[in-house]
Amino acid sequence: MRGPDPAARSKARLDLLETIGCLLLFIGLMLSFLVAESWFWLAPVGFVLMTATYVVKGVRLLRTRRSTAQPENTP
């Protein structure tokens, strides 16, 4: 996350958000089943965080594919 490449730093942050979202989803489901249903709110928060991360990753992937697929117009 501290490297000089901005793309690598951004990818590392997105991977971290994805991991946190997955952990929140899993922990929320497990706590709601094992301890009490009052912990279920963690699961939707994790799902929303994971979904937002996947949307951002998908948009970035599409932007890079489109930019490499289109030839540059040079005179």
PDB file of all heavy atoms in Angstrom, residues 47-73:
ATOM      1  N   PHE A  47     -22.071  -7.318   3.028  1.00  0.00           N
ATOM      2  CA  PHE A  47     -22.518  -7.570   1.657  1.00  0.00           C
ATOM      3  C   PHE A  47     -22.473  -6.295   0.822  1.00  0.00           C
ATOM      4  O   PHE A  47     -22.026  -6.312  -0.326  1.00  0.00           O
ATOM      5  CB  PHE A  47     -23.938  -8.145   1.675  1.00  0.00           C
ATOM      6  CG  PHE A  47     -24.467  -8.463   0.317  1.00  0.00           C
ATOM      7  CD1 PHE A  47     -24.029  -9.580  -0.366  1.00  0.00           C
ATOM      8  CD2 PHE A  47     -25.391  -7.629  -0.289  1.00  0.00           C
ATOM      9  CE1 PHE A  47     -24.506  -9.870  -1.627  1.00  0.00           C
ATOM     10  CE2 PHE A  47     -25.875  -7.912  -1.542  1.00  0.00           C
ATOM     11  CZ  PHE A  47     -25.431  -9.036  -2.214  1.00  0.00           C
ATOM     12  N   VAL A  48     -22.908  -5.190   1.397  1.00  0.00           N
ATOM     13  CA  VAL A  48     -22.877  -3.912   0.670  1.00  0.00           C
ATOM     14  C   VAL A  48     -21.451  -3.495   0.380  1.00  0.00           C
ATOM     15  O   VAL A  48     -21.134  -3.028  -0.728  1.00  0.00           O
ATOM     16  CB  VAL A  48     -23.629  -2.824   1.473  1.00  0.00           C
ATOM     17  CG1 VAL A  48     -23.369  -1.436   0.924  1.00  0.00           C
ATOM     18  CG2 VAL A  48     -25.115  -3.121   1.503  1.00  0.00           C
ATOM     19  N   LEU A  49     -20.569  -3.669   1.340  1.00  0.00           N
ATOM     20  CA  LEU A  49     -19.162  -3.317   1.134  1.00  0.00           C
ATOM     21  C   LEU A  49     -18.525  -4.182   0.052  1.00  0.00           C
ATOM     22  O   LEU A  49     -17.801  -3.669  -0.815  1.00  0.00           O
ATOM     23  CB  LEU A  49     -18.393  -3.452   2.446  1.00  0.00           C
ATOM     24  CG  LEU A  49     -16.958  -2.953   2.471  1.00  0.00           C
ATOM     25  CD1 LEU A  49     -16.913  -1.474   2.150  1.00  0.00           C
ATOM     26  CD2 LEU A  49     -16.352  -3.213   3.824  1.00  0.00           C
ATOM     27  N   MET A  50     -18.810  -5.472   0.064  1.00  0.00           N
ATOM     28  CA  MET A  50     -18.275  -6.353  -0.973  1.00  0.00           C
ATOM     29  C   MET A  50     -18.838  -5.997  -2.337  1.00  0.00           C
ATOM     30  O   MET A  50     -18.113  -5.967  -3.331  1.00  0.00           O
ATOM     31  CB  MET A  50     -18.604  -7.812  -0.651  1.00  0.00           C
ATOM     32  CG  MET A  50     -17.733  -8.419   0.400  1.00  0.00           C
ATOM     33  SD  MET A  50     -18.183 -10.110   0.829  1.00  0.00           S
ATOM     34  CE  MET A  50     -18.489 -10.858  -0.730  1.00  0.00           C
ATOM     35  N   THR A  51     -20.143  -5.720  -2.403  1.00  0.00           N
ATOM     36  CA  THR A  51     -20.769  -5.367  -3.673  1.00  0.00           C
ATOM     37  C   THR A  51     -20.174  -4.084  -4.238  1.00  0.00           C
ATOM     38  O   THR A  51     -19.860  -4.010  -5.435  1.00  0.00           O
ATOM     39  CB  THR A  51     -22.289  -5.214  -3.490  1.00  0.00           C
ATOM     40  OG1 THR A  51     -22.816  -6.424  -2.952  1.00  0.00           O
ATOM     41  CG2 THR A  51     -22.973  -4.897  -4.794  1.00  0.00           C
ATOM     42  N   ALA A  52     -20.008  -3.084  -3.397  1.00  0.00           N
ATOM     43  CA  ALA A  52     -19.419  -1.824  -3.858  1.00  0.00           C
ATOM     44  C   ALA A  52     -17.989  -2.029  -4.352  1.00  0.00           C
ATOM     45  O   ALA A  52     -17.588  -1.459  -5.376  1.00  0.00           O
ATOM     46  CB  ALA A  52     -19.447  -0.798  -2.736  1.00  0.00           C
ATOM     47  N   THR A  53     -17.245  -2.858  -3.661  1.00  0.00           N
ATOM     48  CA  THR A  53     -15.866  -3.136  -4.077  1.00  0.00           C
ATOM     49  C   THR A  53     -15.834  -3.846  -5.417  1.00  0.00           C
ATOM     50  O   THR A  53     -15.036  -3.505  -6.295  1.00  0.00           O
ATOM     51  CB  THR A  53     -15.148  -3.981  -3.017  1.00  0.00           C
ATOM     52  OG1 THR A  53     -15.222  -3.309  -1.770  1.00  0.00           O
ATOM     53  CG2 THR A  53     -13.703  -4.209  -3.383  1.00  0.00           C
ATOM     54  N   TYR A  54     -16.708  -4.829  -5.604  1.00  0.00           N
ATOM     55  CA  TYR A  54     -16.747  -5.538  -6.880  1.00  0.00           C
ATOM     56  C   TYR A  54     -17.197  -4.623  -8.016  1.00  0.00           C
ATOM     57  O   TYR A  54     -16.711  -4.741  -9.147  1.00  0.00           O
ATOM     58  CB  TYR A  54     -17.665  -6.752  -6.800  1.00  0.00           C
ATOM     59  CG  TYR A  54     -17.087  -7.895  -6.002  1.00  0.00           C
ATOM     60  CD1 TYR A  54     -17.884  -8.663  -5.177  1.00  0.00           C
ATOM     61  CD2 TYR A  54     -15.739  -8.215  -6.069  1.00  0.00           C
ATOM     62  CE1 TYR A  54     -17.360  -9.717  -4.443  1.00  0.00           C
ATOM     63  CE2 TYR A  54     -15.206  -9.255  -5.341  1.00  0.00           C
ATOM     64  CZ  TYR A  54     -16.028  -9.993  -4.530  1.00  0.00           C
ATOM     65  OH  TYR A  54     -15.498 -11.028  -3.805  1.00  0.00           O
ATOM     66  N   VAL A  55     -18.102  -3.694  -7.744  1.00  0.00           N
ATOM     67  CA  VAL A  55     -18.529  -2.748  -8.775  1.00  0.00           C
ATOM     68  C   VAL A  55     -17.362  -1.857  -9.190  1.00  0.00           C
ATOM     69  O   VAL A  55     -17.119  -1.653 -10.390  1.00  0.00           O
ATOM     70  CB  VAL A  55     -19.724  -1.899  -8.278  1.00  0.00           C
ATOM     71  CG1 VAL A  55     -19.970  -0.707  -9.170  1.00  0.00           C
ATOM     72  CG2 VAL A  55     -20.977  -2.752  -8.186  1.00  0.00           C
ATOM     73  N   VAL A  56     -16.625  -1.346  -8.220  1.00  0.00           N
ATOM     74  CA  VAL A  56     -15.478  -0.493  -8.531  1.00  0.00           C
ATOM     75  C   VAL A  56     -14.419  -1.278  -9.293  1.00  0.00           C
ATOM     76  O   VAL A  56     -13.854  -0.791 -10.282  1.00  0.00           O
ATOM     77  CB  VAL A  56     -14.892   0.126  -7.246  1.00  0.00           C
ATOM     78  CG1 VAL A  56     -13.577   0.825  -7.509  1.00  0.00           C
ATOM     79  CG2 VAL A  56     -15.889   1.082  -6.633  1.00  0.00           C
ATOM     80  N   LYS A  57     -14.151  -2.507  -8.875  1.00  0.00           N
ATOM     81  CA  LYS A  57     -13.174  -3.334  -9.591  1.00  0.00           C
ATOM     82  C   LYS A  57     -13.624  -3.613 -11.017  1.00  0.00           C
ATOM     83  O   LYS A  57     -12.823  -3.590 -11.955  1.00  0.00           O
ATOM     84  CB  LYS A  57     -12.951  -4.658  -8.857  1.00  0.00           C
ATOM     85  CG  LYS A  57     -12.058  -4.558  -7.658  1.00  0.00           C
ATOM     86  CD  LYS A  57     -11.825  -5.936  -7.072  1.00  0.00           C
ATOM     87  CE  LYS A  57     -10.795  -5.945  -6.002  1.00  0.00           C
ATOM     88  NZ  LYS A  57     -10.493  -7.304  -5.524  1.00  0.00           N
ATOM     89  N   GLY A  58     -14.919  -3.884 -11.203  1.00  0.00           N
ATOM     90  CA  GLY A  58     -15.440  -4.148 -12.542  1.00  0.00           C
ATOM     91  C   GLY A  58     -15.359  -2.937 -13.443  1.00  0.00           C
ATOM     92  O   GLY A  58     -14.985  -3.047 -14.624  1.00  0.00           O
ATOM     93  N   VAL A  59     -15.680  -1.775 -12.920  1.00  0.00           N
ATOM     94  CA  VAL A  59     -15.591  -0.547 -13.712  1.00  0.00           C
ATOM     95  C   VAL A  59     -14.146  -0.275 -14.115  1.00  0.00           C
ATOM     96  O   VAL A  59     -13.858   0.076 -15.258  1.00  0.00           O
ATOM     97  CB  VAL A  59     -16.186   0.643 -12.923  1.00  0.00           C
ATOM     98  CG1 VAL A  59     -15.844   1.968 -13.565  1.00  0.00           C
ATOM     99  CG2 VAL A  59     -17.697   0.484 -12.812  1.00  0.00           C
ATOM    100  N   ARG A  60     -13.237  -0.460 -13.175  1.00  0.00           N
ATOM    101  CA  ARG A  60     -11.827  -0.250 -13.503  1.00  0.00           C
ATOM    102  C   ARG A  60     -11.332  -1.245 -14.545  1.00  0.00           C
ATOM    103  O   ARG A  60     -10.564  -0.889 -15.442  1.00  0.00           O
ATOM    104  CB  ARG A  60     -10.975  -0.354 -12.242  1.00  0.00           C
ATOM    105  CG  ARG A  60     -11.245   0.797 -11.292  1.00  0.00           C
ATOM    106  CD  ARG A  60     -10.341   0.753 -10.137  1.00  0.00           C
ATOM    107  NE  ARG A  60      -8.972   0.878 -10.650  1.00  0.00           N
ATOM    108  CZ  ARG A  60      -7.904   0.884  -9.907  1.00  0.00           C
ATOM    109  NH1 ARG A  60      -8.026   0.760  -8.610  1.00  0.00           N
ATOM    110  NH2 ARG A  60      -6.717   0.999 -10.437  1.00  0.00           N
ATOM    111  N   LEU A  61     -11.789  -2.496 -14.442  1.00  0.00           N
ATOM    112  CA  LEU A  61     -11.400  -3.505 -15.423  1.00  0.00           C
ATOM    113  C   LEU A  61     -11.925  -3.152 -16.806  1.00  0.00           C
ATOM    114  O   LEU A  61     -11.200  -3.248 -17.807  1.00  0.00           O
ATOM    115  CB  LEU A  61     -11.915  -4.884 -14.994  1.00  0.00           C
ATOM    116  CG  LEU A  61     -11.586  -6.040 -15.926  1.00  0.00           C
ATOM    117  CD1 LEU A  61     -10.089  -6.305 -15.922  1.00  0.00           C
ATOM    118  CD2 LEU A  61     -12.349  -7.279 -15.516  1.00  0.00           C
ATOM    119  N   LEU A  62     -13.189  -2.724 -16.891  1.00  0.00           N
ATOM    120  CA  LEU A  62     -13.750  -2.335 -18.178  1.00  0.00           C
ATOM    121  C   LEU A  62     -13.043  -1.119 -18.762  1.00  0.00           C
ATOM    122  O   LEU A  62     -12.814  -1.055 -19.973  1.00  0.00           O
ATOM    123  CB  LEU A  62     -15.243  -2.049 -18.034  1.00  0.00           C
ATOM    124  CG  LEU A  62     -16.136  -3.266 -17.861  1.00  0.00           C
ATOM    125  CD1 LEU A  62     -17.578  -2.819 -17.626  1.00  0.00           C
ATOM    126  CD2 LEU A  62     -16.065  -4.166 -19.072  1.00  0.00           C
ATOM    127  N   ARG A  63     -12.694  -0.156 -17.923  1.00  0.00           N
ATOM    128  CA  ARG A  63     -11.992   1.024 -18.423  1.00  0.00           C
ATOM    129  C   ARG A  63     -10.622   0.671 -18.974  1.00  0.00           C
ATOM    130  O   ARG A  63     -10.204   1.198 -20.009  1.00  0.00           O
ATOM    131  CB  ARG A  63     -11.863   2.059 -17.319  1.00  0.00           C
ATOM    132  CG  ARG A  63     -13.163   2.790 -17.069  1.00  0.00           C
ATOM    133  CD  ARG A  63     -13.105   3.767 -15.943  1.00  0.00           C
ATOM    134  NE  ARG A  63     -11.926   4.601 -15.940  1.00  0.00           N
ATOM    135  CZ  ARG A  63     -11.549   5.349 -14.917  1.00  0.00           C
ATOM    136  NH1 ARG A  63     -12.273   5.351 -13.822  1.00  0.00           N
ATOM    137  NH2 ARG A  63     -10.474   6.092 -14.975  1.00  0.00           N
ATOM    138  N   THR A  64      -9.909  -0.235 -18.313  1.00  0.00           N
ATOM    139  CA  THR A  64      -8.585  -0.604 -18.815  1.00  0.00           C
ATOM    140  C   THR A  64      -8.696  -1.431 -20.088  1.00  0.00           C
ATOM    141  O   THR A  64      -7.877  -1.282 -20.993  1.00  0.00           O
ATOM    142  CB  THR A  64      -7.783  -1.389 -17.769  1.00  0.00           C
ATOM    143  OG1 THR A  64      -8.531  -2.516 -17.348  1.00  0.00           O
ATOM    144  CG2 THR A  64      -7.451  -0.515 -16.588  1.00  0.00           C
ATOM    145  N   ARG A  65      -9.704  -2.285 -20.176  1.00  0.00           N
ATOM    146  CA  ARG A  65      -9.881  -3.069 -21.405  1.00  0.00           C
ATOM    147  C   ARG A  65     -10.245  -2.181 -22.583  1.00  0.00           C
ATOM    148  O   ARG A  65      -9.773  -2.387 -23.687  1.00  0.00           O
ATOM    149  CB  ARG A  65     -10.957  -4.129 -21.213  1.00  0.00           C
ATOM    150  CG  ARG A  65     -10.487  -5.313 -20.454  1.00  0.00           C
ATOM    151  CD  ARG A  65     -11.508  -6.405 -20.501  1.00  0.00           C
ATOM    152  NE  ARG A  65     -11.058  -7.558 -19.754  1.00  0.00           N
ATOM    153  CZ  ARG A  65     -11.758  -8.649 -19.600  1.00  0.00           C
ATOM    154  NH1 ARG A  65     -12.955  -8.735 -20.129  1.00  0.00           N
ATOM    155  NH2 ARG A  65     -11.272  -9.651 -18.915  1.00  0.00           N
ATOM    156  N   ARG A  66     -11.106  -1.206 -22.340  1.00  0.00           N
ATOM    157  CA  ARG A  66     -11.497  -0.303 -23.439  1.00  0.00           C
ATOM    158  C   ARG A  66     -10.351   0.567 -23.874  1.00  0.00           C
ATOM    159  O   ARG A  66     -10.197   0.853 -25.060  1.00  0.00           O
ATOM    160  CB  ARG A  66     -12.677   0.553 -23.001  1.00  0.00           C
ATOM    161  CG  ARG A  66     -13.957  -0.193 -22.949  1.00  0.00           C
ATOM    162  CD  ARG A  66     -15.107   0.713 -22.607  1.00  0.00           C
ATOM    163  NE  ARG A  66     -16.333  -0.061 -22.496  1.00  0.00           N
ATOM    164  CZ  ARG A  66     -17.433   0.401 -21.990  1.00  0.00           C
ATOM    165  NH1 ARG A  66     -17.500   1.643 -21.524  1.00  0.00           N
ATOM    166  NH2 ARG A  66     -18.514  -0.358 -21.918  1.00  0.00           N
ATOM    167  N   SER A  67      -9.542   1.021 -22.935  1.00  0.00           N
ATOM    168  CA  SER A  67      -8.424   1.889 -23.306  1.00  0.00           C
ATOM    169  C   SER A  67      -7.342   1.116 -24.056  1.00  0.00           C
ATOM    170  O   SER A  67      -6.670   1.682 -24.920  1.00  0.00           O
ATOM    171  CB  SER A  67      -7.842   2.568 -22.081  1.00  0.00           C
ATOM    172  OG  SER A  67      -7.227   1.623 -21.238  1.00  0.00           O
ATOM    173  N   THR A  68      -7.161  -0.178 -23.751  1.00  0.00           N
ATOM    174  CA  THR A  68      -6.146  -0.950 -24.482  1.00  0.00           C
ATOM    175  C   THR A  68      -6.688  -1.496 -25.784  1.00  0.00           C
ATOM    176  O   THR A  68      -5.918  -1.750 -26.707  1.00  0.00           O
ATOM    177  CB  THR A  68      -5.643  -2.123 -23.617  1.00  0.00           C
ATOM    178  OG1 THR A  68      -6.756  -2.939 -23.244  1.00  0.00           O
ATOM    179  CG2 THR A  68      -4.930  -1.616 -22.384  1.00  0.00           C
ATOM    180  N   ALA A  69      -7.998  -1.653 -25.916  1.00  0.00           N
ATOM    181  CA  ALA A  69      -8.576  -2.219 -27.127  1.00  0.00           C
ATOM    182  C   ALA A  69      -8.704  -1.178 -28.232  1.00  0.00           C
ATOM    183  O   ALA A  69      -8.638  -1.495 -29.412  1.00  0.00           O
ATOM    184  CB  ALA A  69      -9.930  -2.829 -26.838  1.00  0.00           C
ATOM    185  N   GLN A  70      -8.893   0.080 -27.885  1.00  0.00           N
ATOM    186  CA  GLN A  70      -9.056   1.127 -28.884  1.00  0.00           C
ATOM    187  C   GLN A  70      -7.698   1.614 -29.361  1.00  0.00           C
ATOM    188  O   GLN A  70      -6.863   2.013 -28.563  1.00  0.00           O
ATOM    189  CB  GLN A  70      -9.842   2.295 -28.305  1.00  0.00           C
ATOM    190  CG  GLN A  70     -11.265   1.949 -27.960  1.00  0.00           C
ATOM    191  CD  GLN A  70     -11.963   3.123 -27.299  1.00  0.00           C
ATOM    192  OE1 GLN A  70     -11.346   4.141 -26.997  1.00  0.00           O
ATOM    193  NE2 GLN A  70     -13.258   2.975 -27.069  1.00  0.00           N
ATOM    194  N   PRO A  71      -7.475   1.580 -30.670  1.00  0.00           N
ATOM    195  CA  PRO A  71      -6.205   2.106 -31.176  1.00  0.00           C
ATOM    196  C   PRO A  71      -6.199   3.633 -31.085  1.00  0.00           C
ATOM    197  O   PRO A  71      -7.216   4.295 -31.186  1.00  0.00           O
ATOM    198  CB  PRO A  71      -6.155   1.641 -32.625  1.00  0.00           C
ATOM    199  CG  PRO A  71      -7.589   1.435 -32.992  1.00  0.00           C
ATOM    200  CD  PRO A  71      -8.303   1.042 -31.726  1.00  0.00           C
ATOM    201  N   GLU A  72      -5.034   4.149 -30.890  1.00  0.00           N
ATOM    202  CA  GLU A  72      -4.902   5.602 -30.795  1.00  0.00           C
ATOM    203  C   GLU A  72      -4.946   6.201 -32.185  1.00  0.00           C
ATOM    204  O   GLU A  72      -4.425   5.642 -33.157  1.00  0.00           O
ATOM    205  CB  GLU A  72      -3.599   5.975 -30.112  1.00  0.00           C
ATOM    206  CG  GLU A  72      -3.546   5.553 -28.671  1.00  0.00           C
ATOM    207  CD  GLU A  72      -2.272   6.023 -28.029  1.00  0.00           C
ATOM    208  OE1 GLU A  72      -1.633   6.960 -28.551  1.00  0.00           O
ATOM    209  OE2 GLU A  72      -1.909   5.452 -26.984  1.00  0.00           O
ATOM    210  N   ASN A  73      -5.549   7.351 -32.294  1.00  0.00           N
ATOM    211  CA  ASN A  73      -5.629   8.061 -33.579  1.00  0.00           C
ATOM    212  C   ASN A  73      -4.409   8.966 -33.712  1.00  0.00           C
ATOM    213  O   ASN A  73      -4.353  10.048 -33.147  1.00  0.00           O
ATOM    214  CB  ASN A  73      -6.914   8.905 -33.647  1.00  0.00           C
ATOM    215  CG  ASN A  73      -8.146   8.032 -33.667  1.00  0.00           C
ATOM    216  OD1 ASN A  73      -8.093   6.915 -34.138  1.00  0.00           O
ATOM    217  ND2 ASN A  73      -9.249   8.550 -33.164  1.00  0.00           N
TER     218      ASN A  73
END
